Amino acid sequence: MNDTRTRTRSIAETADMTGLTAHTLRYYERIGLLDPVDRGPDGRRRFREADLAWLSFLTRLRITAMPIRQMRKFADLRRLGEVTVPARLELLCRHRETVRNRITELTACLASLDAKIDHYRSVSTSGSTESATS
């Protein structure tokens, strides 16, 4: 009987918990983003809590548009242990800067959308069609 520390999950359970598809989970394992997943006596993948935590981090990297190539580099460095902490830190700092720049761009885009929405709301409440073409 598995307790909460040693409980493993099937690929379907892991997919449900992470929001990733079973195909993506197998792909991540195949390309080395995910360490080889333990198998049960039936040969099926059994994901551990550590796998789920790592998948959560990988998902955040993907959401922030980190390229798979960089994610693989990070995963490779992670496998090499503590000696690679400075390289991992540098990789994450560079990515953080990219994310911050993207947030700045998106914030400007959002302000533009808000201004256009405000414009159309004022046009629709005033009944004027003169400036509704912009």
Side-chain angles (χ1 to χ4, degrees):
M1 187 154 125
N2 289 334
D3 65 26
T4 56
R5 291 171 308 188
T6 60
R7 180 165 190 262
T8 61
R9 290 176 174 77
S10 70
I11 198 165
E13 291 171 316
T14 301
D16 285 343
M17 291 181 73
T18 62
L20 300 169
T21 64
H23 174 79
T24 298
L25 293 169
R26 287 188 291 269
Y27 173 70
Y28 279 8
E29 183 181 12
R30 186 174 68 248
I31 67 169
L33 281 178
L34 190 60
D35 290 337
V37 177
D38 293 337
R39 304 286 178 135
D42 59 358
R44 294 176 186 242
R45 289 172 178 83
R46 300 301 305 175
F47 292 84
R48 299 169 293 123
E49 289 299 319
D51 298 323
L52 296 174
W54 177 240
L55 286 165
S56 175
F57 184 68
L58 290 175
T59 299
R60 286 187 173 91
L61 294 178
R62 286 301 294 150
I63 288 169
T64 59
M66 179 180 272
I68 293 283
R69 181 180 70 260
Q70 282 185 309
M71 291 171 64
R72 287 178 67 184
K73 173 77 171 167
F74 188 85
D76 291 343
L77 289 169
R78 180 177 169 256
R79 274 185 210 94
L80 295 174
E82 295 296 314
V83 69
T84 67
V85 166
R88 286 183 270 166
L89 175 62
E90 177 61 27
L91 193 150
L92 291 176
C93 286
R94 279 194 320 263
H95 183 62
R96 179 178 61 188
E97 190 58 30
T98 300
V99 171
R100 284 183 172 159
N101 290 338
R102 185 65 179 143
I103 288 170
T104 300
E105 291 171 352
L106 289 172
T107 301
C109 291
L110 183 59
S112 178
L113 287 170
D114 287 342
K116 191 58 78 174
I117 288 167
D118 289 345
H119 169 72
Y120 284 123
R121 282 187 176 144
S122 70
V123 168
S124 70
T125 57
S126 71
S128 170
T129 57
E130 260 180 60
S131 39
T133 58
S134 59

